[in-house]
Amino acid sequence: MKHSFKIKTHSQTELLDITGEVECIVKESRLEEGICALFSPHTTSGITINENADPSVKADIVQGLNKLIPMHGHYAHAEGNSAAHIKTSLIGSSEIIPINGGALSLGTWQGIFLCEFDGPRTREVQVQLWGSP
Ligand code: ZN
């Protein structure tokens, strides 16, 4: 079962919590046990799982990535967004989450984030579900 949804980003670099959108799709699928695969079909946005209880965690992730990979440097890519490409490869374009008892098997403090590195833009998140009802 393939699903997807669009999400509007508002800054050049930000983490957007998409846990609710993904949970809705899983619930509507009526799968009891299975796998949820998330995929970002973009070269400058990724997907990660981390704490969504304290918003300062996502701010620290953004700050840490910006420190590790400066926006401006001696990059070869003429488009000027090499930092965004590098961050996307570090974070990755996908996540896989088990579905148990009809719900995502996330830990208490875990949330799913779309990571925008070259916004603002409209991004697509693809959701592929496998399993049994
Ligand atoms: Zn580029």
Side-chain angles (χ1 to χ4, degrees):
M1 279 183 277
K2 188 193 166 185
H3 306 264
S4 70
F5 60 91
K6 300 242 195 260
I7 187 154
K8 240 179 155 56
T9 65
H10 308 285
S11 310
Q12 185 181 50
T13 305
E14 68 177 320
L15 268 62
L16 282 155
D17 193 331
I18 56 168
T19 313
E21 283 89 339
V22 180
E23 278 174 344
C24 262
I25 290 169
V26 170
K27 204 171 178 184
E28 282 167 12
S29 78
R30 296 172 186 268
L31 287 183
E32 273 298 306
E33 305 295 323
I35 288 286
C36 170
L38 303 172
F39 181 66
S40 162
H42 305 286
T43 60
T44 55
S45 83
I47 295 175
T48 195
I49 294 173
N50 215 303
E51 177 169 343
N52 69 349
D54 179 356
S56 64
V57 171
K58 68 177 186 181
D60 285 347
I61 291 173
V62 167
Q63 195 190 34
L65 285 171
N66 285 342
K67 201 172 164 187
L68 200 63
I69 303 142
M71 201 66 77
H72 304 288
H74 296 287
Y75 300 121
H77 180 49
E79 202 186 3
N81 61 352
S82 282
H85 289 297
I86 296 166
K87 288 171 188 170
T88 301
S89 276
L90 276 183
I91 288 290
S93 299
S94 62
E95 288 287 351
I96 287 183
I97 306 162
I99 298 166
N100 295 122
L104 291 170
S105 191
L106 290 168
T108 307
W109 308 109
Q110 284 183 318
I112 309 160
F113 295 94
L114 174 90
C115 306
E116 175 61 82
F117 296 124
D118 197 21
R121 293 178 191 232
T122 299
R123 299 298 194 172
E124 180 191 358
V125 177
Q126 295 179 5
V127 185
Q128 189 93 32
L129 304 173
W130 294 270
S132 50

